[in-house]
Amino acid sequence: MKIIAALSDMILPLVIVYILACGYSRKINVYEEFTEGAKDGFKIVLDILPTLIGLMMAVGILRASGTLEIISNAIAPAAERIGFPKDAVPISIMRLVSSSASTGILLDIFKTYGPDSFTGRFVSVMMSCTETVFYTMSLYFMSVKITKTRYTLAGALVANVAGIAASLILCRRLWG
Amino acid sequence: MLNYLWGAMIFIGILVAAFTGRLAEVTNGAVDSAKEAVAISVTMLGVMSMWTGIIRIGEKAGLMQAMTKKLRPFLKWLFPDVPEEHKAMDRIAENVIANFLGLGWAATPAGLMAMKELQSLNEHKDRASRAMCMFMIFNMSSLQLVSINIVAYRMQYNSADPSEIIGPGMITTLVSTAAAIAFGKIMEAIE
């Protein structure tokens, strides 16, 4: 388990050092390229901002109205039987449908329970190993007009369920 | 999709609030959340720009080409139906690398072009080929190095250790990707 913590601490510095070393060895003006690349970050964040406002507003309404609690409590008995945090149920479902809506719920969970609560940690890990299956599938297959997707959906769901299960097991061991 | 989902979330929320008598909370919740989105974006602006800046150095240093080359034998094994020198392989490699580095906006165009190339190899134009199924399943298993945005979000909400989820995230993403490949290979063997 110590290795995992070390991995968390080391990976970003290692990536930065490695890329910088590559840049210098190719005689690249690394600082100039960095600032140029940082501009892209502005564009991305500004592009996401309107979506984020819209979705956080919608999730804010769901939370304040008590709807999220109603959903969590309805599924709680089944969720708790397998040791699944009940407050992570709405986000697990939404994750398959919409990336921005699930980000909205993620932020709501951080705000309501804190990022260092068990639910907060679990959803952080879970978000990094799952994908918006339904959206991605329809976008990619529709772009080439394919209607028979065969075992793609089943495979994607298997992968995502495996990711969620692994997150739950790992988080229980680390922070249970 | 979001067009209906968004409206549904708002309608359901307000309807429930009307029944539970929490309309005042809903008003504050909506306004508060909209305000918070901007605060989060300010944090994101810093973290995301740092990441894209670093990645840009990597791009200029030819890191992407190097990674594409290293990825080749693996992709050859993953997609036996695709000729090694076909353009589809390059597009797939670009998509996988962009996803791996957490560059979602760069991954999607490459991914869509990969689908187009794979479609040109497809015999039944309305039916997904084996390679397409594998590509999509692999893509949706979300293999990525660091979820830098999650770290930024945790930072915004005052986590004591925002980056502590990087290691667990790497392990679980490997699990989901391994499951994806196993499933795809098993289905290919069965059919």
Side-chain angles (χ1 to χ4, degrees):
Chain A
M1 294 295 126
K2 273 199 183 119
I3 301 170
I4 299 176
L7 206 60
S8 298
D9 294 340
M10 278 163 50
I11 196 76
L12 217 51
L14 277 181
V15 169
I16 293 173
V17 167
Y18 178 70
I19 289 182
L20 271 183
C22 284
Y24 280 116
S25 74
R26 295 282 164 89
K27 300 202 167 35
I28 285 163
N29 188 340
V30 292
Y31 190 69
E32 196 172 287
E33 295 301 341
F34 176 85
T35 49
E36 199 54 44
K39 280 185 201 158
D40 292 341
F42 274 62
K43 248 185 288 163
I44 294 153
V45 174
L46 283 181
D47 275 353
I48 301 171
L49 182 57
T51 319
L52 201 60
I53 293 176
L55 267 315
M56 282 197 70
M57 172 201 147
V59 175
I61 290 172
L62 281 179
R63 167 65 63 190
S65 66
T67 312
L68 287 177
E69 273 172 273
I70 293 172
I71 297 173
S72 303
N73 289 335
I75 307 175
E80 269 157 17
R81 193 168 301 161
I82 54 167
F84 196 88
K86 70 181 169 82
D87 301 310
V89 171
I91 191 175
S92 307
I93 301 164
M94 194 59 95
R95 179 67 179 139
L96 296 172
V97 184
S98 159
S99 168
S100 32
S102 55
T103 301
I105 304 183
L106 174 85
L107 296 167
D108 172 72
I109 287 175
F110 286 171
K111 185 172 151 191
T112 313
Y113 309 103
D116 296 334
S117 66
F118 183 79
T119 306
R121 283 163 160 163
F122 167 67
V123 294
S124 303
V125 175
M126 190 262 287
M127 284 291 275
S128 45
C129 65
T130 46
E131 181 58 70
T132 47
V133 170
F134 294 108
Y135 167 77
T136 310
M137 256 188 85
S138 51
L139 177 72
Y140 277 61
F141 278 128
M142 260 159 55
S143 76
V144 286
K145 298 190 179 68
I146 281 187
T147 48
K148 296 181 184 119
T149 59
R150 296 167 75 194
Y151 51 86
T152 307
L153 179 62
L157 291 177
V158 164
N160 278 268
V161 168
I164 293 175
S167 304
L168 190 58
I169 294 166
L170 195 59
C171 288
R172 281 250 175 269
R173 293 211 59 173
L174 285 170
W175 302 297
Chain B
M1 173 100 65
L2 214 49
N3 190 24
Y4 293 105
L5 191 63
W6 188 65
M9 285 165 80
I10 294 175
F11 282 138
I12 292 170
I14 292 179
L15 204 65
V16 170
F19 278 107
T20 52
R22 294 169 82 163
L23 280 172
E25 284 91 334
V26 159
T27 307
N28 292 332
V31 176
D32 232 34
S33 303
K35 191 186 79 184
E36 244 175 77
V38 177
I40 289 162
S41 294
V42 173
T43 305
M44 282 293 284
L45 211 54
V47 178
M48 205 65 195
S49 302
M50 179 198 86
W51 188 243
T52 52
I54 294 289
I55 294 297
R56 163 97 178 195
I57 300 172
E59 267 172 34
K60 289 286 156 183
L63 213 62
M64 308 302 157
Q65 288 92 311
M67 284 175 82
T68 307
K69 215 180 234 172
K70 288 214 181 85
L71 216 54
R72 283 224 165 230
F74 171 67
L75 291 183
K76 203 177 134 193
W77 172 77
L78 207 55
F79 303 102
D81 298 344
V82 181
E84 212 179 327
E85 294 305 319
H86 197 273
K87 264 190 231 148
M89 280 298 197
D90 294 326
R91 299 289 99 82
I92 291 172
E94 280 168 28
N95 173 264
V96 171
I97 291 166
N99 270 327
F100 182 70
L101 295 175
L103 313 173
W105 66 94
T108 306
L112 292 175
M113 280 192 280
M115 283 303 268
K116 212 173 126 193
E117 296 296 339
L118 288 175
Q119 179 71 315
S120 72
L121 295 167
N122 193 2
E123 283 171 24
H124 312 278
K125 294 298 178 197
D126 65 330
R127 186 169 179 267
S129 64
R130 295 200 318 177
M132 281 176 171
C133 291
M134 183 56 102
F135 174 59
M136 286 308 295
I137 297 172
F138 186 83
N139 179 296
M140 289 185 285
S141 75
S142 81
L143 184 65
Q144 62 173 333
L145 181 63
V146 185
S147 351
I148 197 82
N149 49 347
I150 306 274
V151 176
Y153 294 146
R154 291 170 58 82
M155 212 171 268
Q156 177 68 25
Y157 285 97
N158 305 317
S159 167
D161 186 359
S163 61
E164 69 181 352
I165 54 96
I166 293 178
M170 287 171 73
I171 291 168
T172 54
T173 201
L174 278 178
V175 171
S176 64
T177 302
I181 296 172
F183 184 91
K185 285 286 176 196
I186 288 169
M187 289 311 286
E188 283 176 12
I190 292 172
E191 295 225 334

